[in-house]
Amino acid sequence: MPENLSEENKNYIIDQDYVGMRLDKFLSLNMLDFSRSFLQKKIDSGEIRINGDIKKDSYKLSLNDEVEISFDAPKEVPIKAKDIPLDILYEDNDVIIVNKPKGMVVHPANGHTDDTLVNALLYHCGDSLSGINGEKRPGIVHRIDRDTTGALIVCKNDKAHNFIAEQIKAHSVTRKYVGIVIGNVPDDEGVVNAPIGRSRNERKKMAVVPDGREAITHYKVLERFGDYTYMEFRLETGRTHQIRVHMAYIKHPILGDTVYGPKKCPFTLEGQTLHAETIGFVHPMTHEYMEFHAPLPEYFEKLLKTLRMRQNK
């Protein structure tokens, strides 16, 4: 697994999964915030090196190669604490479990500098947040999309952060989502095992691509509503937009997802009907397994009620 040192300086130690992969492909898979053309320029300028040496973009990686990246990142504006209400499911000296609402971005980005979960966490926790992910992402060990609701783990110190991150890496964190998809899914249970990477056609989107990273989603039908299906999803891996991409791939996109599904939705929604319902992990200090459940947001409950009424007519 790559070791990220900072926004300006990243070191990746190549493991077996990447042996034989071209340098440019490796970078495009692991540095999603940068375009391929940008990374190509950095390779050409010598700001990306292998074991200290300048290599071409076609260089094929070997086991334990060290990919060194050093270039100036845009200067960050200090993140301000802001009094934004938090729905806290659990909190102790090491972790916080937050029920993130729809429309809230997890960490600051373009267009969202003072209304994010991080701004709220800084107000609530002060300096008691892990610093591993840098100033822009204190405490953030994983994330969910802006318009996805539900349970999210936040770490208060670096020891907790490392411990939870290792569980995420080992796929041992329980992550169950519920969502409504378009269409009548034929099988009651199933698995989508299809690699995900940056879309070849639209760089802001993810897609199932042959040279993408392994992505596995388990699904189960909870209720059927004819034109829609209420489902449970269990993530074995955690790729960007994984559930959304996988369901679109099998022709049952998440209802309300205008990025990977239809541009128009028959219901008044703000984003996709996807909710991180359950999160479970081994606590970093007690080493006991803990599991938390985030209740469905009101809009989701109302939509289910509407669909059930239609089904029963």
Side-chain angles (χ1 to χ4, degrees), residues 156-253:
K156 286 189 169 184
N157 54 68
D158 289 356
K159 183 176 181 180
H161 190 121
N162 283 323
F163 194 85
I164 299 297
E166 282 301 312
Q167 293 180 66
I168 292 173
K169 177 182 176 181
H171 310 316
S172 62
V173 173
T174 301
R175 287 180 288 179
K176 291 183 181 178
Y177 290 67
V178 290
I180 301 171
V181 305
I182 297 173
N184 188 10
V185 177
D187 300 321
D188 289 339
E189 295 185 9
V191 180
V192 183
N193 186 343
I196 290 176
R198 185 67 64 181
S199 170
R200 301 290 187 268
N201 301 318
E202 300 177 69
R203 295 297 299 165
K204 292 185 178 181
K205 293 175 63 173
M206 307 302 290
V208 170
V209 293
D211 59 349
R213 299 183 69 186
E214 180 185 43
I216 302 172
T217 304
H218 300 259
Y219 65 82
K220 179 171 67 175
V221 171
L222 300 176
E223 291 183 67
R224 298 182 184 278
F225 305 114
D227 293 335
Y228 305 98
T229 308
Y230 182 36
M231 303 182 69
E232 176 186 278
F233 307 99
R234 181 174 64 83
L235 291 180
E236 190 170 324
T237 56
R239 307 304 173 213
T240 302
H241 301 172
Q242 179 171 315
I243 295 172
R244 298 165 62 192
V245 172
H246 272 172
M247 295 316 294
Y249 177 68
I250 65 170
K251 310 302 182 185
H252 293 286

Side-chain angles (χ1 to χ4, degrees), residues 16-219:
Q16 194 64 46
D17 291 342
Y18 296 107
V19 170
M21 182 177 288
R22 285 172 56 115
L23 174 61
D24 53 359
K25 284 190 177 181
F26 171 82
L27 293 171
S28 69
L29 286 173
N30 287 282
M31 301 189 70
L32 298 177
D33 291 336
F34 301 97
S35 68
R36 285 190 176 186
S37 60
F38 176 87
L39 292 171
Q40 182 65 58
K41 290 177 182 177
K42 297 304 175 184
I43 294 172
D44 294 340
S45 68
E47 293 174 87
I48 298 176
R49 297 177 177 233
I50 308 295
N51 305 321
D53 298 325
I54 298 174
K55 299 290 185 181
K56 293 183 178 181
D57 55 1
S58 59
Y59 173 81
K60 292 189 177 180
L61 298 167
S62 298
L63 187 64
N64 294 324
D65 269 354
E66 183 176 10
V67 182
E68 304 168 80
I69 301 162
S70 57
F71 51 83
D72 293 333
K75 292 185 177 180
E76 297 178 0
V77 177
I79 307 303
K80 295 181 179 179
K82 191 169 182 180
D83 186 6
I84 302 171
L86 287 172
D87 182 2
I88 296 174
L89 302 173
Y90 173 83
E91 180 177 8
D92 60 26
N93 292 330
D94 302 293
V95 296
I96 311 174
I97 311 302
V98 177
N99 183 14
K100 189 190 81 66
K102 181 179 283 289
M104 176 179 273
V105 175
V106 171
H107 53 75
N110 290 337
H112 295 275
T113 57
D114 62 358
D115 59 351
T116 72
L117 179 62
V118 164
N119 297 108
L121 288 168
L122 287 173
Y123 184 90
H124 179 78
C125 300
D127 295 330
S128 298
L129 289 170
S130 66
I132 290 174
N133 276 347
E135 293 181 5
K136 288 184 72 173
R137 305 180 186 185
I140 303 303
V141 68
H142 71 119
R143 60 180 291 276
I144 54 180
D145 299 337
R146 180 185 66 182
D147 291 325
T148 298
T149 57
L152 187 76
I153 308 171
V154 176
C155 296
K156 286 189 169 184
N157 54 68
D158 289 356
K159 183 176 181 180
H161 190 121
N162 283 323
F163 194 85
I164 299 297
E166 282 301 312
Q167 293 180 66
I168 292 173
K169 177 182 176 181
H171 310 316
S172 62
V173 173
T174 301
R175 287 180 288 179
K176 291 183 181 178
Y177 290 67
V178 290
I180 301 171
V181 305
I182 297 173
N184 188 10
V185 177
D187 300 321
D188 289 339
E189 295 185 9
V191 180
V192 183
N193 186 343
I196 290 176
R198 185 67 64 181
S199 170
R200 301 290 187 268
N201 301 318
E202 300 177 69
R203 295 297 299 165
K204 292 185 178 181
K205 293 175 63 173
M206 307 302 290
V208 170
V209 293
D211 59 349
R213 299 183 69 186
E214 180 185 43
I216 302 172
T217 304
H218 300 259
Y219 65 82

